[in-house]
Amino acid sequence: MDKALSQGSKRVDLEFVLDNRLVSLHRADIPPDATDEIVSQAVNGCFRSCKDGISAFLVLIRGGNYTAGQMRLVKLLQVHFGAEAFRYLVVVSLEDAKMTNTLDDTLLELIDACDGRYCRLTTSEARDKVNALVSMVDYMLVESGGAGGYSQAMLGEAERRSAEDTSMRMLKQKVREAEAKMRAFGQMTAQREERRAKEVEELRAKHAEERRKEAAERRSYQAKKETLEEAVISHRATLHLHNKPDDEDTNKLSVVLLGLSGSGKTSALNLISARAGNHYPDSGSDDEIPQPTLACTRREVCVAGRRLVFVDTPELWDGDGVENPEKVKDCLALALPGPHVFLLVLQVGRFTQCESLMPAHLQKVFGRDASERAMVLFVHLDQGLKRSQRVHEYVAGAHVALQELVRRCGSRYYEVSLATPHKGPSYPQVRDLLAGIEKLAASHGGRGHIVKRFSAQELQDRKKAMEDNKDAPWEDNFLLAEE
């Protein structure tokens, strides 16, 4: 018995015998305005009325006209029964006496999907055409492997695949929605980042402006502070000059020269001494090489009514920083009632590691606050040195260790030139140096520096013993004429 399923909204079972074969037709007549759900229910109900499955699906069209409704039905058939249904699909065109020879492209595509199964039924040749249709169905079943047609098992598999496809479509839809949300979130994040970057840039600009204002205010306050400090120092010096006693020792300022051998301490003292009476040495004296200082010596000059005592020293400590206590005691004894100022002498163009440790050795030997009374004297010894370079430029371009030494001495530094003393350029330098010594001593109230490990009486006795030793050339007196 052959069974075929056609379209309709109300199932009408039709059975007839053709050449001793029972043919059963199940028709579902579907109205054009039916929804997809109604169409699926009608087709499914018609199929389930065939308990053993069906041999073929018959899609009926009229006069070779493949309408939009029929296209919709075929799509729903494929969705509901799966692609397997096309193996059992036959397109049947119901035509009158006049047959249509021209088929549109969509119908040709459907016929091609059905492997060319297309049958025309006319009223004039109904029996022959029905026989041809049955033969086509038989051949289709043979080509399908001799199966009995589309079965319930195939429908179950199609429903399973349809459910999977539906789930996959839903999942893909969710993925697309998630991607859309991600893109929207990315755009929103980018906008926020752009806004935050703009706010950060504005904040940086604001902070930079605030820092510029703070720096300007700091410079202003620093300038005011320096002005006030200068005023205090000047006032203190004035009070000291007005109130100083007439005692000869209290009217003296003592300066201790410190430095390595060969740094130019003695030569600098000779230059200061040579300025007495505006005296300039002959050019021939430049070739004289001063002898190394082996013991502490004292020189005294008078400037503007003030007596300045300069104590020239040998090296008071060795390369390891170990002091010579006897030489230190001689130095302090000759510097009484001071020392008031420590002058660290450095040769321009030479700076050694031992010299970089001078501030530390100074504090170790003379006390931690000795650096507050220290200043640096740069000595020009090389005649080939470019004199166009000022001492400020030399310090600014010097090694960081030399800059640190100057900083630890309160950034107080001066220079004297020994290269061409007969030409007299060093006189203003000596004048500036002596003025700096006066200023530094006045900032401490004119009081001498006290080294606590030696008593004043001990140093006085030491000085007296040195004075009694007439053979020791420890003192020279010079007068530095006023301008």
Side-chain angles (χ1 to χ4, degrees):
M1 180 176 66
D2 295 332
K3 300 177 182 179
L5 176 63
S6 61
Q7 58 183 351
S9 62
K10 182 179 179 181
R11 294 193 305 274
V12 179
D13 295 336
L14 175 63
E15 293 183 348
F16 60 91
V17 178
L18 181 64
D19 295 336
N20 297 324
R21 297 179 64 182
L22 179 62
V23 178
S24 177
L25 295 177
H26 300 264
R27 180 182 178 188
D29 197 7
I30 303 173
D33 57 349
T35 62
D36 292 350
E37 184 178 359
I38 293 176
V39 173
S40 297
Q41 290 177 356
V43 174
N44 189 46
C46 188
F47 174 80
R48 294 187 184 280
S49 65
C50 304
K51 297 181 180 180
D52 298 329
I54 63 172
S55 300
F57 294 98
L58 302 182
V59 177
L60 304 181
I61 63 175
R62 290 189 177 276
N65 186 17
Y66 188 35
T67 64
Q70 292 163 342
M71 294 180 190
R72 176 171 165 241
L73 176 63
V74 171
K75 290 182 179 179
L76 291 175
L77 184 70
Q78 182 180 8
V79 170
H80 190 76
F81 292 95
E84 190 75 11
F86 279 88
R87 295 176 56 191
Y88 303 94
L89 183 63
V90 179
V91 181
V92 179
S93 176
L94 303 178
E95 302 176 358
D96 52 13
K98 184 179 179 180
M99 299 181 63
T100 302
N101 294 323
T102 303
L103 304 178
D104 59 20
D105 293 338
T106 55
L107 181 57
L108 290 175
E109 291 177 0
L110 176 61
I111 295 173
D112 184 64
C114 299
D115 294 332
R117 292 186 293 274
Y118 177 67
C119 182
R120 292 175 172 175
L121 294 182
T122 60
T123 55
S124 60
E125 300 176 334
R127 184 176 181 83
D128 293 337
K129 294 297 183 180
V130 171
N131 284 331
L133 175 60
V134 173
S135 298
M136 184 180 294
V137 171
D138 290 339
Y139 181 76
M140 176 190 67
L141 295 175
V142 173
E143 287 293 320
S144 299
Y150 192 88
S151 62
Q152 289 286 349
M154 293 180 181
L155 177 60
E157 179 66 18
E159 290 177 344
R160 184 187 65 79
R161 291 179 181 175
S162 177
E164 291 178 353
D165 292 342
T166 301
S167 300
M168 183 60 67
R169 285 194 299 273
M170 293 177 61
L171 183 60
K172 289 182 178 179
Q173 179 63 26
K174 291 182 179 180
V175 170
R176 287 192 293 270
E177 292 175 355
E179 291 176 348
K181 291 181 179 179
M182 181 62 70
R183 286 193 296 271
F185 178 75
Q187 294 175 356
M188 181 182 65
T189 303
Q191 292 174 355
R192 289 179 178 176
E193 287 294 334
E194 184 178 356
R195 186 182 69 252
R196 281 195 288 265
K198 184 178 180 180
E199 292 175 353
V200 169
E201 189 63 28
E202 292 175 352
L203 190 60
R204 285 178 178 173
K206 179 180 178 181
H207 289 174
E209 181 64 24
E210 291 177 352
R211 283 193 290 270
R212 283 193 292 270
K213 291 181 179 179
E214 291 173 357
E217 292 178 359
R218 189 180 297 109
R219 288 192 295 270
S220 176
Y221 292 147
Q222 184 65 26
K224 292 179 181 179
K225 177 184 175 183
E226 292 176 355
T227 301
L228 292 175
E229 288 178 348
E230 291 287 341
V232 170
I233 293 173
S234 177
H235 182 66
R236 184 182 296 169
T238 302
L239 292 178
H240 175 71
L241 291 176
H242 288 171
N243 299 326
K244 63 182 180 179
D246 295 333
D247 182 75
E248 182 179 356
D249 284 343
T250 58
N251 194 36
K252 292 181 180 179
L253 291 180
S254 58
V255 181
V256 175
L257 281 74
L258 301 173
L260 298 183
S261 178
S263 61
K265 300 188 300 296
T266 303
S267 298
L269 265 181
N270 292 338
L271 178 64
I272 296 173
S273 302
R275 290 297 172 261
N278 290 332
H279 172 67
Y280 296 92
D282 296 333
S283 60
S285 63
D286 294 347
D287 298 331
E288 297 179 3
I289 301 176
Q291 297 299 318
T293 302
L294 302 179
C296 295
T297 60
R298 168 190 173 111
R299 297 192 186 187
E300 186 173 323
V301 298
C302 183
V303 181
R306 164 82 77 175
R307 289 188 175 275
L308 297 181
V309 176
F310 290 90
V311 179
D312 191 7
T313 64
E315 295 184 6
L316 300 183
W317 51 78
D318 58 18
D320 296 328
V322 179
E323 68 173 81
N324 186 322
E326 295 301 319
K327 292 181 179 180
V328 172
K329 191 179 296 186
D330 289 345
C331 168
L332 292 174
L334 294 178
L336 289 174
H340 297 85
V341 174
F342 294 98
L343 197 60
L344 307 186
V345 181
L346 299 176
Q347 183 184 143
V348 173
R350 186 193 77 172
F351 185 67
T352 66
Q353 183 178 4
C354 292
E355 288 175 321
S356 67
L357 299 175
M358 287 178 66
H361 296 328
L362 175 68
Q363 292 179 325
K364 179 180 178 182
V365 174
F366 296 100
R368 297 184 60 182
D369 55 347
S371 59
E372 298 177 2
R373 296 173 176 266
M375 61 173 56
V376 181
L377 177 62
F378 290 102
V379 177
H380 294 271
L381 296 177
D382 187 3
Q383 296 186 11
L385 185 67
K386 294 182 179 179
R387 292 296 299 121
S388 60
Q389 185 184 36
R390 298 182 179 274
V391 66
H392 304 293
E393 298 173 354
Y394 173 72
V395 173
H399 190 275
V400 64
L402 177 56
Q403 294 178 350
E404 176 64 15
L405 183 147
V406 172
R407 187 194 66 80
R408 294 183 65 178
C409 293
S411 298
R412 296 178 291 268
Y413 56 92
Y414 298 88
E415 65 173 333
V416 293
S417 176
L418 304 178
T420 55
H422 59 282
K423 295 183 180 179
S426 58
Y427 184 78
Q429 298 172 349
V430 173
R431 181 186 58 198
D432 294 341
L433 171 63
L434 297 178
I437 292 173
E438 285 277 1
K439 182 178 178 180
L440 180 57
S443 67
H444 293 277
R447 297 182 300 274
H449 178 67
I450 299 175
V451 180
K452 296 181 180 180
R453 59 187 177 131
F454 299 114
S455 66
Q457 186 61 45
E458 182 180 3
L459 295 179
Q460 288 287 356
D461 294 342
R462 184 81 170 192
K463 180 180 180 181
K464 187 175 185 305
M466 296 176 70
E467 291 174 348
D468 292 341
N469 186 4
K470 301 298 183 181
D471 296 332
W474 56 270
E475 181 174 17
D476 293 306
N477 292 324
F478 296 86
L479 293 179
L480 183 63
E482 303 178 26
E483 290 184 282

